[in-house]
Amino acid sequence: MLTTTTTRALGPGELDEALAVLQRRPVDNAFVTARVRASGLDPWRLGGEMWGWFQDGRLESLCYAGANLVPVCAGPEAVSAFAERARRQGRRCSSIVGPAEPTAALWSALEPHWGPAREVRPHQPLMVTDAPSVTVAPDPYVRRVRKDELDLVMPACVAMFTEEVGISPMAGDGGLVYQSRVAELVGSGRAFARFEDGRVVFKAEIGAVTPQACQIQGVWVAPDRRGQRLSESGMAAVLRYALNEVAPVASLYVNDFNTAARASYRRVGFREVGAFMSVLF
């Protein structure tokens, strides 16, 4: 029997079908799932289009096409179709990110048209845990950032982003979008920090949140306090909040070359279960 496939942007009325695809891999897909659950599939609210790949009329794969290009549950045929659509549209994203295998295939197809990238990180271990740390005591001084402390935590957020991504989030629009995102995390009670003498020495946020999983991000320690295991006790504290109040599973992904961070997360109780890949423009 001849198999027919189609690729197109999804509409708001296809939300249930999209969520069913996303639920196949709830940890891998936490970022996209959180956006879809919060905003639906309307492009204006979602901040981009959600492309669907259909096989014999059944939705099998997705690709979020916004500030990031993110393949979801995408096999080789779906990746090829998404790459062709992205190539025709032209690059509008600042990064391609997702599970390593489909992201690598997507980038391989797009690199001749969109390359070179500013940086490619082909293997970023995905780490998860569903239990509080039993080996590292939570730092009792790590707490939620209050709304009136936004100005205190913002320099640490900017420093973390600049170190991690290689460019300042304050470039371009003067940091308006980035400041808005940090304010959203603080306002929702998902930003955590340890303050000493009015400055942040450790911080992290719980970014994407779904009923099945949440993603910890933005882990940062002040340069003069590194090597003192603040990241371990701080992460243990954030993990306690995450599992008790947010979701039954916590995840994060980390650069493979950051061996110190990977060892720190393992001591807290995270284990590696897969890998992500990021292409930065």
Side-chain angles (χ1 to χ4, degrees), residues 123-128 254 262-263 266 270-275:
H123 186 82
Q124 297 172 294
L126 174 65
M127 308 182 76
V128 304
V254 59
R262 291 170 67 182
R266 282 195 294 269
F270 285 87
R271 64 189 186 279
E272 296 183 12
V273 297

Side-chain angles (χ1 to χ4, degrees), residues 50-268:
M50 184 66 74
W51 301 340
W53 183 79
F54 295 79
Q55 188 173 51
D56 291 334
R58 176 183 171 85
L59 181 62
E60 296 290 351
S61 303
L62 304 169
C63 186
Y64 172 68
N68 316 107
L69 192 65
V70 187
V72 174
C73 298
E77 288 185 76
V79 166
S80 179
F82 292 144
E84 177 59 22
R85 188 180 181 94
R87 184 194 65 77
R88 291 198 311 268
Q89 177 180 275
R91 183 173 73 82
R92 301 178 183 179
C93 60
S94 60
S95 67
I96 306 173
V97 61
E101 186 174 348
T103 303
L106 189 58
W107 176 232
S108 178
L110 289 173
E111 185 177 12
H113 311 282
W114 287 9
R118 180 169 56 84
E119 186 175 357
V120 176
R121 299 176 182 178
H123 186 82
Q124 297 172 294
L126 174 65
M127 308 182 76
V128 304
T129 184
D130 59 3
S133 179
V134 296
T135 56
V136 178
D139 185 340
Y141 295 104
V142 170
R143 58 170 175 81
R144 282 189 168 91
V145 179
R146 300 191 306 265
K147 292 180 182 179
D148 64 351
E149 294 173 319
L150 182 60
D151 288 345
L152 294 178
V153 78
M154 185 59 68
C157 293
V158 171
M160 177 282 304
F161 187 99
T162 304
E163 289 179 26
E164 174 65 21
V165 180
I167 58 174
S168 172
M170 309 305 284
D173 66 353
L176 292 177
V177 171
Y178 185 70
Q179 291 181 73
S180 175
R181 176 56 177 160
V182 174
E184 177 188 351
L185 290 169
V186 170
S188 63
R190 305 207 313 265
F192 301 85
R194 172 173 173 151
F195 294 88
E196 291 181 358
D197 299 323
R199 72 175 185 124
V200 173
V201 296
F202 166 86
K203 74 149 199 85
E205 298 90 40
I206 301 173
V209 172
T210 77
Q212 291 78 29
C214 64
Q215 192 174 84
I216 297 175
Q217 63 181 39
V219 182
W220 182 86
V221 175
D224 63 320
R225 298 298 306 278
R226 292 175 186 174
Q228 300 175 25
R229 298 202 163 177
L230 281 183
S231 63
E232 294 179 24
S233 57
M235 278 295 290
V238 175
L239 180 61
R240 180 181 59 185
Y241 281 108
L243 296 178
N244 285 345
E245 303 180 20
V246 180
V249 175
S251 71
L252 57 82
Y253 62 96
V254 59
N255 293 315
D256 59 354
F257 54 79
N258 194 343
T259 55
R262 291 170 67 182
S264 174
Y265 300 148
R266 282 195 294 269
R267 282 191 287 269
V268 175

Side-chain angles (χ1 to χ4, degrees), residues 18-27 29 33 37 72-73 210-212:
L19 287 172
V21 173
L22 289 162
Q23 291 311 306
R24 294 181 201 161
R25 301 185 66 89
V27 174
N29 301 332
T33 303
R37 287 180 60 87
V72 174
C73 298
T210 77
Q212 291 78 29

Side-chain angles (χ1 to χ4, degrees), residues 11-48:
E14 296 169 294
L15 178 60
D16 288 345
E17 292 92 332
L19 287 172
V21 173
L22 289 162
Q23 291 311 306
R24 294 181 201 161
R25 301 185 66 89
V27 174
D28 287 4
N29 301 332
F31 166 73
V32 177
T33 303
R35 291 195 70 96
V36 170
R37 287 180 60 87
S39 304
L41 295 177
D42 177 79
W44 186 84
R45 294 184 61 223
L46 185 62

